[in-house]
Amino acid sequence: MNKALILLDAVSFDFGPDRRVLDRCTLRVERAERVGLVGSNGSGKSTLMKLAVGILRPTGGKVEVFGKCRMRERDFHEVRRRTGFLFQDSDDQLFCPTVAEDVAFGPLNLGLSREKVQQIVTETLAALRLRGFEERITHKLSGGEKRMVALAAVLAMNPEVLLLDEPTAGLDDVAAARVVEVLATLPQAMVIATHDSWLLDRLATRRVRLAHGRLDEESEPAPASRSGCVLV
Ligand SMILES: Nc1ncnc2c1ncn2[C@@H]1O[C@H](COP(=O)(O)OP(=O)(O)OP(=O)(O)O)[C@@H](O)[C@H]1O
Ligand SMILES: [Mg+2]
């Protein structure tokens, strides 16, 4: 069998002696798949995604990304370079004074030229309808604006796989639709943790659900409309 882009193989995670959050969860993400990760608040969605990039390490099971087993901190350096991780909290993502600097940070770190980075920043902001935000002070943006800029910062790196933790949280309908429109054009595999069924109806090729520490394939979901969102 071909190696998966991401394989979380029977991973478990405990936040303390009596706090098992994930119990032998297996998630396999193949090329071009868009996996919707659903589950109630506190079910462990963010925790699961953090295991894939080594922000947290499993207490059991194994993590394979880009065909290699990843265990130590240095194994994850390459993973983080090649993976776009949208944090649930935009304040964890944005740390530069201005929007342009935040969006440029990743591509500059990848060693691209200033001219190329400038072009990427302009194009990425334009795609998310954030033209004119370049010199805005990041920490003074609204929650929804920060969400969009954080997504721009992730997409600007043109990562091979995207792990998106609540990409539309706090966004109005127009901004959420824009995010879906942009993500739908991308060829990359994605894992999308969300409570937004409308988003998943448009993007996800399949869904998995976390409940009581276990991860299971979700059967055919009920359709949702933007006005009457079904929470997942
Ligand atoms: N640093 C931590 N220390 C202890 N417990 C934690 C820590 N971080 C998360 N938890 C707990 O682990 C569980 C899973 O949290 P997680 O953030 O992964 O859930 P989630 O499914 O992403 O929830 P949400 O839908 O609210 O984003 C929760 O019960 C949470 O309280
Ligand atoms: Mg979460």
Side-chain angles (χ1 to χ4, degrees), residues 127-130 144-145 147-148 151 167-182 196 198-199 226:
L128 291 167
R129 311 272 205 287
L130 292 171
E145 289 169 340
R147 200 79 205 119
M148 294 296 274
L151 185 61
T168 53
L171 297 186
D172 63 43
D173 288 354
V174 173
R178 208 178 299 148
V179 167
V180 169
E181 193 186 298
V182 170
D196 186 346
W198 182 86
L199 165 98
R226 191 71 220 164

Side-chain angles (χ1 to χ4, degrees), residues 3-118:
K3 294 262 188 186
L5 273 181
I6 296 176
L7 174 61
L8 301 177
D9 190 6
V11 291
S12 296
F13 188 81
D14 308 273
F15 269 116
D18 301 316
R19 280 291 298 128
R20 170 144 292 204
V21 176
L22 302 172
D23 186 18
R24 290 163 291 151
C25 296
T26 294
L27 176 64
R28 205 185 153 86
V29 182
E30 310 283 355
R31 267 171 217 292
E33 266 199 308
R34 298 192 197 122
V35 183
L37 173 58
V38 303
S40 53
N41 292 134
S43 57
K45 302 179 297 298
S46 300
T47 304
L48 188 76
M49 300 224 288
K50 285 176 185 170
L51 293 180
V53 291
I55 297 171
L56 297 171
R57 302 294 157 76
T59 39
K62 79 177 181 212
V63 176
E64 263 183 42
V65 190
F66 303 125
K68 287 191 195 153
C69 187
R70 313 283 175 170
M71 288 168 79
R72 288 161 300 234
E73 174 59 22
R74 70 165 183 271
D75 299 336
F76 284 101
H77 292 169
E78 183 203 0
V79 173
R80 293 184 202 129
R81 219 173 30 248
R82 297 172 62 185
T83 304
F85 193 103
L86 181 75
F87 286 90
Q88 181 163 8
D89 184 347
S90 305
D91 288 329
D92 290 337
Q93 197 109 39
L94 304 171
F95 44 82
C96 293
T98 67
V99 167
E101 286 168 289
D102 257 317
V103 179
F105 185 85
L108 280 174
N109 261 350
L110 292 175
L112 301 180
S113 70
R114 293 233 155 236
E115 294 70 35
K116 181 71 190 158
V117 171
Q118 182 57 53

